[in-house]
Amino acid sequence: MAVDRSEVERRVKATVARVLDLEPEQVTDESNFIFDLGADSQQSVEMVAAFEEEFDIEMDEDEALAVQNVRDAVEFISEILDQ
Amino acid sequence: MEYRSLTAQEISELEDAGCHAEEWSRVLVAEGFRPGAVARCTFSGAVRLGAFEEPIRHGATHLPSGVRDSYLHEVTVGSNSLVQSVGLLANYDVGREACILSCDSLTVEGETSFGNGVRIEVLNEGGGREIPLFDRLSAPVAYLAVCYRHRPRLVDAIEQMVRHYAAGKEGTRGAIGEGARVLNCRTIRNVAIGVRATLEGCTLLQNGTICSSAEAPTTVGAGVTASDFIIGTGSVVDGGAMLKQCFVGQACRIGRQFSAEGSAFFANTECFHGEAVSVLAGPYTVSHHKSTLLIAGVFSFYNAGSGTNQSNHMYKLGPLHQGVVERGSKTGSSSYLLWPSRVGPFTVVLGKHSAHFDTGSLPFSYIDESDGRSVLWPALNLFTTGTKRDGMKWAARDRRTDPEKLDPIRFEVFSPLTVGRMMQGIAELEELYASAPREQEYVRHVGIDIKRLLCRRAPRRYRMAVEAYLGETLVRRLEAAEDPADALARPSAGAAGEGDWVDLLGLLAPRGQVESLCDAVERGQVDTLDALQGRLQALCDAYEDHEWAWVLAAWEEWHGEVPAKMSTAELAGVVRDWEETALKLNAMILKDAQKEFDQTSRIGYGSDGGGEAQSRDFQAVRGEFETNEFVRTLREESETIRARARAVLSALGAAGEE
């Protein structure tokens, strides 16, 4: 069954806001984790763990850390959920 | 050497040259002695002079050997040496071809053992962990004497051995070794000076030994003051360094006004500018910057950032706290640790920490400060450029040229010590994650906070490292033997390497073997320092055998299989898994290295131009990622991994199979 992308997007944004201690509206589709949202390397790893927990999935850390922005994160996670 | 009395003619010539003697009959000379090489000297007590026939090299020039403008009391001067303008040279035997020039005084006064036997208060300033110095002290012997206080009979036995050794060094005469150079020094008192040592411009040296050899000459330079000390072969102590009750091991560099008290530094240590008090500094301890204080701690393979500081003295009973910073760790600029704490291996400490923590079971981590709270980021320093580079550089930077290397060192980053700790860490982190409610941001682990979510991720990083290490060890075995059955058999030492491992300040060894050695010392079966050193070196030499025993046991625990019972197909699977993991780890490290070339790293470059200038300026200074030496080395390593995997699979008859 295909995942509901809008639901994934909502949960990704909420997770990002929680980990980076931001207001939810600060997190947009285009937000770059590092340059726009200020994530450092440690927070990036924490965010990967947060996505895993939120969606009950396992992500390859190397591939997950290559994802730069919210839109790509939604895509990346949706693909895993689709499998 | 045979000596004879002076002839009347020679005495007359010496007096004409401005020489005086308390008793000319007590001045003896070697065959070939020429009075013309001696002028304006005063002799008292028994003095023996060599033949001064050859000039002595001094910088770019050659000076005539001989004795001039000096006061000699109870001295032997070797042939072809030069003693000139020395206010007082007393109770020394000067070797051949030595040069002592423009010094105030070099004297041995009364009974001395030249720093041997001096007890220094390392690690705990309040006492209780003293080590007696001797000129062959090694890092693991020091570690046992300082840190194994739970075995008082062991410590007593080591101290007894050192007392015996120091007694053998006692005397009322000192030696200045063959070819040594002592130039422009002020006061040198009760100091033994080794072969080919250079002392130049020292201010005050007293009660010490400067070990030196032709292969590893030692230098003590300008403005140095040192008392109650030993300096090892091949070391350089200069730049106004101040040492009080210190041991400096082989091939160390101490200088630029560094001051140290009650501290021992072992092979390849480099300390400049800062200060050390009551420190047990194992091999490759590095502190290069001002305002850096190392105090009451054990360190090894360590790098101190500027302004690094620790406190051992916050409570009311005096400076009795101590810290342990395990091998491979670094402390960032202005970082602070309030002892007692223990920092696990290969950990980076940033910020100021007044919490008392123990991160020994969570190596390869970051310890950071967040709103005054100490936070551990487990396993984040595992696949970083810094850790990889450190592992490459230490062995390559071993400066010891003495044929006898006193500190037995194992350089491995991944070893039964660190991998065993990671296996322990995995269990601890998983337990923490499982037991913490989801809404909890942090969990507490032996005095430090960890983000709960990291307890979910970090075990996977540790697992990758464990699997890469176990696979690498097994592949190495397969490469070394023609028959897999031989390769995977138990080592000749049996199960001697199983169980926990310990790090004796550079020497990695199974705890059980170390305990057995301690038992032997306590029973008197090892009763000399040479024998103890020999047993420690043997432990170091047996590393691979012990490691293999450990890996076999760990493999069974980790994979639930016995390597020797695996089929060829299963072994081929192991080799392929190892190849995949090892390549993946290298790729992660390469990605980390890539950050050094990203836009952020370019800030400050091309400061008077636009983007193009910035790019070109950066490239001119830092070069390209693709041609960077570290990057190329890592890529070559990846190629080697592929080639090794192919070769082993081919040997197994499994090449091309999946």
Side-chain angles (χ1 to χ4, degrees):
Chain A
M1 190 175 68
V3 296
D4 178 349
R5 299 271 164 139
S6 61
E7 177 61 8
V8 173
E9 184 182 316
R10 186 190 64 75
R11 288 164 68 187
V12 163
K13 287 179 178 173
T15 303
V16 171
R18 191 175 71 246
V19 170
L20 300 182
D21 201 16
L22 301 168
E23 294 301 325
E25 55 271 21
Q26 289 178 267
V27 184
T28 68
D29 291 354
E30 306 304 324
S31 297
N32 181 292
F33 294 123
I34 295 168
F35 299 119
D36 299 325
L37 304 179
D40 59 27
S41 57
Q42 296 160 338
Q43 288 170 318
S44 298
V45 176
E46 190 185 357
M47 210 145 43
V48 171
F51 289 142
E52 286 188 331
E53 187 176 77
E54 174 65 26
F55 295 99
D56 195 20
I57 54 174
E58 290 216 354
M59 297 157 81
D60 180 281
E61 185 175 311
D62 202 23
E63 291 172 11
L65 290 175
V67 173
Q68 298 285 304
N69 60 40
V70 172
R71 187 194 305 277
D72 291 347
V74 172
E75 189 65 26
F76 183 73
I77 290 166
S78 297
E79 281 176 18
I80 295 173
L81 292 172
D82 277 338
Q83 285 166 10
Chain B
M1 180 176 275
E2 295 276 311
Y3 291 94
R4 62 169 175 80
S5 299
L6 289 162
T7 65
Q9 175 63 29
E10 286 170 334
I11 292 171
S12 172
E13 283 184 40
L14 288 168
E15 287 181 336
D16 287 349
C19 294
H20 304 274
E22 191 181 48
E23 287 179 65
W24 281 114
S25 63
R26 300 194 68 195
V27 178
L28 305 178
V29 295
E31 212 48 58
F33 171 80
R34 292 179 299 108
V38 179
R40 299 173 300 281
C41 288
T42 302
F43 303 111
S44 60
V47 173
R48 291 181 292 184
L49 304 175
F52 304 113
E53 296 167 308
E54 303 289 335
I56 191 159
R57 192 185 168 97
H58 180 64
T61 63
H62 286 84
L63 301 175
S65 57
V67 184
R68 291 179 279 275
D69 302 301
S70 299
Y71 190 129
L72 276 66
H73 172 80
E74 291 284 348
V75 165
T76 300
V77 181
S79 292
N80 297 325
S81 287
L82 171 62
V83 176
Q84 175 130 15
S85 302
V86 177
L88 176 60
L89 176 61
N91 302 313
Y92 267 107
D93 295 315
V94 180
R96 295 171 59 87
E97 297 164 18
C99 177
I100 307 173
L101 193 60
S102 300
C103 294
D104 285 0
S105 70
L106 290 91
T107 58
V108 173
E109 298 173 12
E111 192 87 11
T112 177
S113 53
F114 304 99
N116 290 281
V118 168
R119 288 163 62 82
I120 65 172
E121 287 181 348
V122 293
L123 193 50
N124 196 315
E125 264 192 297
R129 293 193 185 277
E130 297 83 357
I131 43 169
L133 299 186
F134 63 103
D135 57 17
R136 292 176 52 75
L137 180 63
S138 68
V141 170
Y143 187 83
L144 291 174
V146 171
C147 297
Y148 274 48
R149 295 286 157 153
H150 55 289
R151 300 194 66 151
R153 287 197 299 148
L154 167 75
V155 176
D156 285 348
I158 293 173
E159 293 210 359
Q160 174 64 30
M161 291 181 215
V162 179
R163 273 197 297 276
H164 180 73
Y165 181 86
K169 295 283 179 179
E170 270 179 15
T172 55
R173 287 180 80 85
I176 297 174
E178 182 179 322
R181 293 151 43 84
V182 185
L183 313 170
N184 305 314
C185 294
R186 297 194 66 180
T187 304
I188 297 177
R189 183 183 302 125
N190 296 352
V191 176
I193 300 170
V195 169
R196 305 229 180 263
T198 297
L199 284 65
E200 186 162 10
C202 303
T203 301
L204 171 65
L205 305 177
Q206 55 185 351
N207 194 31
T209 295
I210 298 165
C211 305
S212 184
S213 66
E215 299 90 345
T218 302
T219 299
V220 183
V224 171
T225 61
S227 57
D228 302 326
F229 69 94
I230 306 279
I231 298 175
T233 57
S235 285
V236 177
V237 178
D238 63 6
M242 292 163 276
L243 305 178
K244 183 182 174 191
Q245 299 195 322
C246 284
F247 178 87
V248 177
Q250 293 179 310
C252 295
R253 300 282 181 271
I254 308 272
R256 297 178 208 159
Q257 299 176 316
F258 190 80
S259 81
E261 183 170 345
S263 295
F265 306 91
F266 292 92
N268 295 304
T269 282
E270 284 187 10
C271 288
F272 302 131
H273 295 303
E275 181 185 0
V277 179
S278 293
V279 157
L280 187 59
Y284 296 87
T285 296
V286 173
S287 174
H288 278 177
H289 303 287
K290 287 196 177 181
S291 309
T292 295
L293 168 67
L294 307 182
I295 190 166
V298 181
F299 304 87
S300 63
F301 301 93
Y302 163 73
N303 198 313
S306 64
T308 285
N309 195 345
Q310 307 96 46
S311 289
N312 63 336
H313 202 181
M314 290 291 276
Y315 299 123
K316 293 171 182 163
L317 289 176
L320 46 80
H321 300 294
Q322 60 185 49
V324 178
V325 179
E326 295 195 72
R327 67 161 54 202
S329 293
K330 300 172 195 288
T331 48
S333 299
S334 300
S335 65
Y336 168 77
L337 289 158
L338 176 60
W339 297 146
S341 271
R342 179 190 186 197
V343 176
F346 295 94
T347 292
V348 177
V349 180
L350 303 165
K352 301 194 183 305
H353 302 277
S354 52
H356 305 297
F357 46 75
D358 182 345
T359 69
S361 61
L362 300 170
F364 302 100
S365 297
Y366 278 85
I367 293 173
D368 204 351
E369 175 199 2
S370 175
D371 299 326
R373 164 205 299 261
S374 294
V375 179
L376 181 86
W377 299 79
L380 275 199
N381 195 34
L382 197 43
F383 311 124
T384 59
T385 315
T387 298
K388 183 75 179 178
R389 278 189 69 234
D390 282 350
M392 291 171 166
K393 78 185 180 195
W394 286 314
R397 291 184 186 176
D398 190 349
R399 284 189 301 251
R400 291 176 294 173
T401 52
D402 196 313
E404 187 184 20
K405 294 173 177 52
L406 291 174
D407 296 343
I409 299 174
R410 296 302 313 192
F411 294 98
E412 287 78 4
V413 173
F414 296 106
S415 67
L417 178 93
T418 51
V419 176
R421 299 281 188 88
M422 285 191 279
M423 290 166 80
Q424 184 187 342
I426 290 167
E428 290 176 0
L429 289 170
E430 287 179 342
E431 168 65 23
L432 283 168
Y433 181 71
S435 60
R438 204 162 161 156
E439 60 275 12
Q440 192 173 317
E441 189 177 4
Y442 288 97
V443 294
R444 190 94 173 144
H445 180 267
V446 202
I448 198 160
D449 291 328
I450 305 173
K451 287 272 180 105
R452 183 186 61 83
L453 285 167
L454 270 296
C455 298
R456 177 188 173 97
R457 279 275 2 149
R460 255 179 277 168
R461 284 185 153 225
Y462 280 150
R463 267 199 194 88
M464 282 175 72
V466 171
E467 279 163 15
Y469 168 77
L470 294 178
E472 162 69 31
T473 313
L474 192 135
V475 167
R476 226 186 306 133
R477 295 289 299 190
L478 290 170
E479 288 173 321
E482 286 187 9
D483 181 355
D486 293 340
L488 304 179
R490 293 193 75 82
S492 54
E498 291 180 17
D500 287 348
W501 279 49
V502 291
D503 183 355
L504 302 181
L505 222 53
L507 168 58
L508 299 169
R511 184 190 299 280
Q513 292 295 294
V514 173
E515 295 294 340
S516 296
L517 174 55
C518 294
D519 292 343
V521 173
E522 288 177 353
R523 284 196 297 264
Q525 293 162 324
V526 175
D527 61 355
T528 67
L529 291 168
D530 278 350
L532 177 56
Q533 179 69 9
R535 291 282 296 266
L536 289 162
Q537 185 61 51
L539 264 183
C540 188
D541 296 341
Y543 174 87
E544 278 89 2
D545 231 20
H546 290 150
E547 180 193 40
W548 178 236
W550 187 88
V551 167
L552 282 176
W555 191 282
E556 206 170 333
E557 180 189 332
W558 189 260
H559 292 294
E561 290 172 317
V562 177
K565 292 182 180 168
M566 283 195 277
S567 67
T568 302
E570 286 171 325
L571 286 174
V574 167
V575 175
R576 289 194 187 95
D577 288 348
W578 162 76
E579 180 187 13
E580 187 184 330
T581 309
L583 291 174
K584 188 176 174 69
L585 298 188
N586 268 9
M588 288 172 79
I589 296 165
L590 273 175
K591 260 195 187 152
D592 189 53
Q594 211 156 15
K595 290 180 194 162
E596 295 280 36
F597 294 83
D598 68 10
Q599 205 52 40
T600 306
S601 297
R602 292 167 191 243
I603 293 172
Y605 284 81
S607 48
D608 292 331
E612 175 63 17
Q614 183 188 52
S615 182
R616 284 167 52 198
D617 187 34
F618 183 88
Q619 195 178 330
V621 176
R622 300 284 298 278
E624 300 269 14
F625 175 75
E626 295 299 324
T627 53
N628 177 270
E629 192 183 338
F630 174 79
V631 171
R632 282 193 319 196
T633 303
L634 215 58
R635 286 187 169 149
E636 283 165 16
E637 191 180 294
S638 293
E639 281 309 310
T640 305
I641 288 166
R642 290 188 187 94
R644 288 174 63 199
R646 276 197 305 274
V648 175
L649 288 171
S650 169
L652 288 170
E657 293 173 15
E658 284 298 327

